[in-house]
Amino acid sequence: MGVRAVKQERAVRTRAALIHAAAEVFAESGFSRASVTQIAERAGLTLGAMYFHFRSKEMLAREIVASQPDLVVPPLESEGLQRAVDLTLTWAYRLRDDPVLLAGARLVMDQELFLERSENSHKQWTKVLREEFEVARRRRELRAGADPEGLARLLVNACTGAQMHARLESDHLDLPYRVEEIWRFLLPSVATPSAAQRIEFGEARGKAR
């Protein structure tokens, strides 16, 4: 391996260490109370190394928020309505142990400090879910008149609220149950009867074996 390749690999590891450390600090302290010094120390790096990769904690927070959907990959193949269910369940199960997802959840209320309104995580997740609901509509899984955009916004709002309550009441342990409960109330209103009957829940839909 050449010198350049070694340096690139080291840079990738350093960047990953900083993101992981920042996620832990943000999840514990929130955005406002977190400091670049805390993050550098948690990563075992100097401030110089920190600033080489990220000029500010705002940049780190943006990176963490932007990476959220990439971390939520359901363990089972699916599409349309089932895929939307699987995405939310995977998020709920993984958030309990993944520091980057935990940080994203904690940063929700501070987004105006480091993100433009057009880039916030609510819009980000709405786009992800809207695409699945559009697939569901083409597959005739949604009732007539069900709006993919409005449905996606509703689900993001509901899951955000569920996450906040789960954090306060169970340290996120019951978040998967709360998300499943949202779906069980929502599906009869938006899904065709046959599509609703086919939807599967449980750990297998959102938790890697």
Side-chain angles (χ1 to χ4, degrees):
M1 185 180 293
V3 174
R4 183 175 181 180
V6 170
K7 288 183 176 179
Q8 288 177 336
E9 184 178 333
R10 186 184 304 128
V12 170
R13 289 199 304 269
T14 300
R15 186 180 178 87
L18 283 165
I19 291 172
H20 187 87
E24 290 183 340
V25 173
F26 287 140
E28 293 166 7
S29 305
F31 180 79
S32 297
R33 293 174 57 197
S35 71
V36 291
T37 300
Q38 286 177 300
I39 294 168
E41 289 178 351
R42 182 71 63 95
L45 297 166
T46 64
L47 279 174
M50 155 94 186
Y51 285 125
F52 178 80
H53 291 276
F54 297 97
R55 294 192 301 274
S56 65
K57 69 176 183 178
E58 285 81 4
M59 286 188 66
L60 272 162
R62 285 196 292 271
E63 180 78 14
I64 286 169
V65 170
S67 70
Q68 301 283 297
D70 295 334
L71 300 175
V72 180
V73 181
L76 301 175
E77 289 294 324
S78 56
E79 59 182 343
L81 201 52
Q82 182 68 64
R83 184 70 173 181
V85 170
D86 292 350
L87 283 167
T88 57
L89 286 175
T90 302
W91 167 79
Y93 278 108
R94 289 206 57 187
L95 185 142
R96 300 184 301 181
D97 304 310
D98 190 312
V100 179
L101 289 176
L102 277 168
R106 184 70 187 268
L107 290 168
V108 162
M109 300 306 296
D110 294 323
Q111 292 182 84
E112 74 278 4
L113 300 176
F114 58 86
L115 279 176
E116 297 294 330
R117 289 184 178 181
S118 60
E119 300 173 341
N120 70 58
S121 65
H122 298 88
K123 292 182 181 296
Q124 181 183 46
W125 281 111
T126 295
K127 179 178 182 295
V128 170
L129 290 169
R130 185 193 69 224
E131 291 172 354
E132 297 305 328
F133 286 134
E134 287 174 346
V135 172
R137 183 170 61 180
R138 291 195 294 271
R139 287 163 55 91
R140 300 182 185 279
E141 295 176 339
L142 297 182
R143 290 180 180 273
D147 171 35
E149 176 77 22
L151 185 54
R153 283 198 305 270
L154 175 64
L155 191 58
V156 171
N157 290 339
C159 286
T160 299
Q163 180 275 128
M164 291 177 176
H165 284 286
R167 174 174 174 265
L168 291 172
E169 298 171 18
S170 71
D171 199 24
H172 289 124
L173 290 178
D174 69 347
L175 183 57
Y177 166 78
R178 291 171 184 265
V179 169
E180 184 173 326
E181 186 177 53
I182 289 168
W183 278 110
R184 290 192 183 281
F185 279 102
L186 182 63
L187 282 172
S189 299
V190 302
T192 60
S194 60
Q197 290 174 2
R198 291 195 300 269
I199 296 299
E200 296 180 1
F201 295 100
E203 286 192 11
R205 304 307 315 185
K207 190 176 182 180
R209 296 177 181 178

